[in-house]
Amino acid sequence: MFVEIIGDQHLPDAVDRDDVEELLEQTLGDEGSVTGAGTGDGRWHLDVEIDTDGQQAQFLVQRLAQALVDAGLGWVRVRPEAEDAGLPASALV
C-alpha cells in the first residue's frame, strides 16, 4: 500500500525532513519503508510503501499518524493511495 506524507508548510526549525523520514522508518520497522521524497512551493512530501494490505495496513497508517502527532507534527497530512487529499495525522488517531 502506498501512503504519501504531506507537509503543507515548513517544518519547525528543530526538525528537518530527514528527521521525519527516520521517524517513519522506525515506526514501520520491517513492515514498510520510505521510498521517495520531494519539496517545492513551500511544501514537502515523503512516499511510504507499506508491505501489507487490508486491516494490518490501516493499523500501520494509524501508527504513522500517531508517531507524527507524538512528534508535534499532527498537522502533517497522511494520504493513503485510495484517498484524494488525505487527512491531518491528528484526525487519524
Side-chain angles (χ1 to χ4, degrees):
M1 169 191 235
F2 173 77
V3 179
E4 189 175 27
I5 307 298
I6 305 165
D8 293 316
Q9 60 189 19
H10 295 286
L11 289 163
D13 289 338
V15 178
D16 65 22
R17 195 181 68 204
D18 290 338
D19 296 328
V20 178
E21 181 175 347
E22 184 175 321
L23 171 70
L24 299 178
E25 289 279 358
Q26 288 175 351
T27 301
L28 289 167
D30 293 337
E31 298 178 281
S33 61
V34 176
T35 60
T39 60
D41 294 330
R43 295 176 41 170
W44 57 271
H45 75 274
L46 294 165
D47 299 335
V48 173
E49 191 65 41
I50 294 176
D51 297 333
T52 187
D53 290 324
Q55 199 167 17
Q56 182 64 18
Q58 291 303 317
F59 174 71
L60 286 171
V61 168
Q62 288 177 327
R63 273 189 15 208
L64 291 173
Q66 185 64 59
L68 290 165
V69 169
D70 291 347
L73 301 172
W75 52 271
V76 173
R77 284 189 293 136
V78 178
R79 187 188 72 78
E81 63 187 89
E83 296 181 17
D84 289 333
L87 293 171
S90 60
L92 297 173
V93 297

